[in-house]
Amino acid sequence: MAGVSHAEFDMASDVNRMLVLAAALSALAALLHVAVIVGGPDWYRFFGAGERMARLAEARSPVPTLVTLGIALVLGIWAAYAASGAGLIRPLPLTAAALVAITGVYVLRGLAIVPAATMASLRTPFNLWSSAICLAIGIVHAVGLWQVWKRL
């Protein structure tokens, strides 16, 4: 390839695509949380944050913003760890342990789809969709983590 050294090409082939996807999905989720803050009370309602959070946002309480920014920050950190595990950025401290924990959180949150699907009191569109999304992201993380485990 013109203009690309062998070292650069080899590094590019070492990038794990599943963890790149995992990083992109966590980053997208982080950005969506920021968009909810900007979108205001109606966005809190639409994305399932609950009526209490929407009313607090209407009252201009800092609570919804702080909670949602906290979630966005965590998701951003998770994106960075997936990018690190993928080989896109330099290794971060405790990458292997962090990716195991992140994968576990996504998968466990995703498995909440079982009670949401089987118990009428938990069967809401938000519970079903958010669980399915988390399970999918968790599976992407798990596959990527399995692929890179030996080099972590």
Side-chain angles (χ1 to χ4, degrees):
M1 293 190 340
V4 177
S5 73
H6 273 294
E8 290 171 322
F9 182 75
D10 288 342
M11 189 174 105
S13 66
D14 286 342
V15 171
N16 181 275
R17 291 181 182 169
M18 290 301 280
L19 285 177
V20 169
L21 177 58
L25 291 169
S26 288
L28 180 62
L31 290 174
L32 181 59
H33 279 79
V34 173
V36 167
I37 295 168
V38 173
D42 289 339
W43 282 49
Y44 281 97
R45 284 185 184 94
F46 179 80
F47 285 101
E51 189 58 29
R52 181 175 179 268
M53 288 286 274
R55 287 190 181 175
L56 286 170
E58 285 173 338
R60 300 191 190 274
S61 166
V63 171
T65 298
L66 293 173
V67 168
T68 309
L69 276 178
I71 294 168
L73 177 63
V74 168
L75 291 167
I77 291 168
W78 290 4
Y81 269 97
S84 177
L88 284 179
I89 63 173
R90 67 175 180 79
L92 295 174
L94 304 170
T95 298
L99 285 175
V100 168
I102 291 163
T103 301
V105 169
Y106 272 127
V107 170
L108 287 173
R109 173 58 185 86
L111 290 175
I113 198 166
V114 174
T118 58
M119 299 172 63
S121 63
L122 298 176
R123 194 176 310 127
T124 66
F126 173 78
N127 283 341
L128 294 170
W129 279 108
S130 62
S131 295
I133 290 166
C134 287
L135 185 57
I137 296 172
I139 291 169
V140 170
H141 273 80
V143 171
L145 181 58
W146 177 75
Q147 292 172 340
V148 301
W149 186 254
K150 287 183 182 178
R151 73 173 163 139
L152 293 178

Coordinates of all heavy atoms in Angstrom, one line a residue, residues 31-65:
L31 N -23.0 9.6 24.1 CA -23.5 10.8 23.4 C -25.0 10.9 23.4 O -25.6 12.0 23.6 CB -23.0 10.8 21.9 CG -21.5 11.0 21.7 CD1 -21.2 10.8 20.2 CD2 -21.1 12.4 22.2
L32 N -25.7 9.8 23.4 CA -27.2 9.8 23.5 C -27.6 10.3 24.9 O -28.6 11.1 25.0 CB -27.7 8.4 23.3 CG -29.2 8.2 23.3 CD1 -29.9 9.1 22.3 CD2 -29.6 6.8 23.1
H33 N -26.9 10.0 25.9 CA -27.2 10.5 27.3 C -27.0 12.0 27.3 O -27.8 12.7 27.9 CB -26.4 9.8 28.3 CG -26.9 8.4 28.7 ND1 -26.7 7.3 27.9 CD2 -27.7 8.1 29.7 CE1 -27.4 6.3 28.5 NE2 -28.0 6.7 29.6
V34 N -26.0 12.5 26.7 CA -25.8 14.0 26.6 C -26.9 14.6 25.8 O -27.4 15.6 26.2 CB -24.4 14.3 26.0 CG1 -24.2 15.8 25.8 CG2 -23.3 13.8 26.9
A35 N -27.3 13.9 24.7 CA -28.4 14.5 23.9 C -29.7 14.5 24.7 O -30.5 15.5 24.5 CB -28.6 13.6 22.7
V36 N -29.9 13.6 25.6 CA -31.1 13.6 26.5 C -31.1 14.8 27.3 O -32.2 15.5 27.5 CB -31.2 12.3 27.3 CG1 -32.3 12.4 28.4 CG2 -31.6 11.1 26.4
I37 N -30.0 15.2 27.9 CA -29.9 16.4 28.7 C -30.3 17.6 27.9 O -31.1 18.4 28.3 CB -28.4 16.6 29.3 CG1 -28.1 15.4 30.2 CG2 -28.3 17.9 29.9 CD1 -26.6 15.3 30.6
V38 N -29.7 17.7 26.7 CA -30.0 18.8 25.8 C -31.5 18.8 25.4 O -32.1 19.9 25.3 CB -29.1 18.8 24.6 CG1 -29.4 19.9 23.6 CG2 -27.6 19.0 25.0
G39 N -32.0 17.6 25.1 CA -33.4 17.5 24.7 C -34.4 17.9 25.7 O -35.5 18.2 25.4
G40 N -34.0 17.8 27.0 CA -34.9 18.2 28.1 C -35.9 17.1 28.5 O -35.8 16.0 28.2
P41 N -36.9 17.6 29.2 CA -37.9 16.7 29.9 C -38.6 15.7 28.9 O -38.8 14.6 29.3 CB -39.0 17.7 30.5 CG -38.2 18.9 30.7 CD -37.2 19.0 29.6
D42 N -38.9 16.2 27.7 CA -39.6 15.3 26.8 C -38.6 14.1 26.4 O -39.1 13.0 26.2 CB -40.0 16.0 25.5 CG -41.2 16.9 25.8 OD1 -41.9 16.6 26.8 OD2 -41.5 17.8 25.0
W43 N -37.3 14.4 26.3 CA -36.4 13.4 25.9 C -36.2 12.4 27.1 O -36.0 11.2 26.9 CB -35.0 14.0 25.5 CG -35.1 14.5 24.1 CD1 -36.0 15.3 23.6 CD2 -34.1 14.2 23.1 NE1 -35.7 15.6 22.3 CE2 -34.5 14.9 22.0 CE3 -32.9 13.5 23.1 CZ2 -33.8 14.9 20.8 CZ3 -32.2 13.5 21.9 CH2 -32.6 14.2 20.8
Y44 N -36.2 12.9 28.3 CA -36.1 12.0 29.5 C -37.3 11.0 29.5 O -37.2 9.9 29.7 CB -36.1 12.8 30.8 CG -34.8 13.4 31.2 CD1 -34.5 14.7 30.9 CD2 -33.8 12.6 31.8 CE1 -33.3 15.3 31.2 CE2 -32.6 13.2 32.1 CZ -32.3 14.5 31.9 OH -31.1 15.0 32.2
R45 N -38.5 11.6 29.1 CA -39.7 10.7 29.1 C -39.5 9.7 27.9 O -39.8 8.5 28.1 CB -40.9 11.5 28.8 CG -41.4 12.3 30.1 CD -42.7 13.0 29.8 NE -43.1 13.7 31.0 CZ -42.8 15.0 31.2 NH1 -42.1 15.7 30.3 NH2 -43.1 15.6 32.3
F46 N -39.2 10.2 26.7 CA -39.1 9.3 25.6 C -38.1 8.2 25.8 O -38.4 7.0 25.4 CB -38.7 10.1 24.3 CG -38.6 9.3 23.1 CD1 -39.8 8.9 22.4 CD2 -37.4 8.8 22.6 CE1 -39.7 8.1 21.3 CE2 -37.3 8.0 21.5 CZ -38.5 7.7 20.8
F47 N -37.0 8.5 26.4 CA -36.0 7.4 26.5 C -36.1 6.6 27.8 O -35.2 5.8 28.1 CB -34.6 8.1 26.4 CG -34.2 8.4 25.0 CD1 -34.3 9.7 24.5 CD2 -33.8 7.4 24.1 CE1 -34.0 10.0 23.2 CE2 -33.5 7.7 22.8 CZ -33.6 9.0 22.3
G48 N -37.2 6.8 28.5 CA -37.5 5.9 29.6 C -36.9 6.3 31.0 O -36.8 5.4 31.8
A49 N -36.4 7.5 31.1 CA -35.8 7.9 32.4 C -36.8 8.0 33.6 O -36.4 8.0 34.7 CB -35.1 9.2 32.3
G50 N -38.1 8.0 33.2 CA -39.1 8.1 34.2 C -39.7 9.5 34.4 O -39.0 10.5 34.1
E51 N -40.9 9.5 34.9 CA -41.6 10.7 35.1 C -41.0 11.6 36.1 O -40.9 12.8 36.0 CB -43.1 10.4 35.4 CG -44.0 11.7 35.4 CD -44.0 12.4 34.1 OE1 -43.8 11.8 33.0 OE2 -44.2 13.6 34.1
R52 N -40.4 11.0 37.2 CA -39.8 11.8 38.2 C -38.6 12.6 37.7 O -38.5 13.7 37.9 CB -39.3 10.8 39.3 CG -38.6 11.6 40.5 CD -38.3 10.6 41.6 NE -37.6 11.3 42.7 CZ -36.3 11.4 42.8 NH1 -35.5 10.9 41.9 NH2 -35.8 12.1 43.8
M53 N -37.8 11.9 36.9 CA -36.6 12.6 36.3 C -37.1 13.7 35.3 O -36.5 14.8 35.3 CB -35.7 11.6 35.5 CG -34.9 10.7 36.4 SD -33.6 11.6 37.3 CE -32.3 11.4 36.0
A54 N -38.1 13.4 34.5 CA -38.6 14.4 33.6 C -39.2 15.6 34.4 O -38.9 16.8 34.0 CB -39.7 13.8 32.7
R55 N -39.9 15.4 35.5 CA -40.4 16.5 36.3 C -39.3 17.3 36.9 O -39.4 18.5 37.0 CB -41.4 16.0 37.3 CG -42.7 15.6 36.6 CD -43.8 15.3 37.6 NE -45.0 14.9 36.9 CZ -46.1 14.5 37.4 NH1 -46.2 14.4 38.7 NH2 -47.1 14.1 36.7
L56 N -38.3 16.6 37.4 CA -37.1 17.3 38.0 C -36.5 18.2 36.9 O -36.1 19.3 37.2 CB -36.1 16.3 38.6 CG -36.5 15.7 39.9 CD1 -35.6 14.5 40.2 CD2 -36.6 16.7 41.0
A57 N -36.4 17.7 35.7 CA -35.8 18.5 34.6 C -36.7 19.7 34.3 O -36.1 20.8 34.1 CB -35.6 17.6 33.3
E58 N -38.0 19.5 34.3 CA -38.9 20.6 34.1 C -38.7 21.7 35.2 O -38.8 22.9 34.9 CB -40.3 20.1 34.1 CG -40.7 19.4 32.8 CD -42.1 18.8 32.9 OE1 -42.7 18.5 34.0 OE2 -42.7 18.6 31.8
A59 N -38.5 21.2 36.4 CA -38.3 22.2 37.5 C -36.8 22.7 37.5 O -36.5 23.5 38.5 CB -38.6 21.5 38.8
R60 N -36.1 22.4 36.6 CA -34.7 22.9 36.4 C -33.8 22.4 37.6 O -32.8 23.1 38.0 CB -34.6 24.4 36.3 CG -35.3 24.8 35.0 CD -35.0 26.3 34.7 NE -35.9 26.8 33.7 CZ -35.7 26.7 32.4 NH1 -34.6 26.1 32.0 NH2 -36.5 27.3 31.5
S61 N -34.1 21.2 38.2 CA -33.3 20.6 39.2 C -32.0 20.2 38.5 O -32.0 19.7 37.4 CB -34.0 19.4 39.8 OG -33.1 18.7 40.6
P62 N -30.9 20.3 39.2 CA -29.6 19.8 38.6 C -29.5 18.2 38.7 O -28.6 17.7 38.0 CB -28.5 20.4 39.5 CG -29.2 20.6 40.8 CD -30.6 21.0 40.5
V63 N -30.4 17.6 39.4 CA -30.3 16.1 39.6 C -30.3 15.3 38.3 O -29.4 14.5 38.0 CB -31.4 15.6 40.6 CG1 -31.4 14.1 40.6 CG2 -31.1 16.2 41.9
P64 N -31.3 15.6 37.4 CA -31.3 14.8 36.1 C -30.0 15.0 35.3 O -29.4 14.0 34.8 CB -32.5 15.3 35.4 CG -33.4 15.8 36.4 CD -32.5 16.4 37.5
T65 N -29.6 16.2 35.2 CA -28.3 16.5 34.5 C -27.1 15.8 35.1 O -26.3 15.2 34.4 CB -28.1 18.0 34.4 OG1 -29.2 18.7 33.7 CG2 -26.8 18.4 33.7

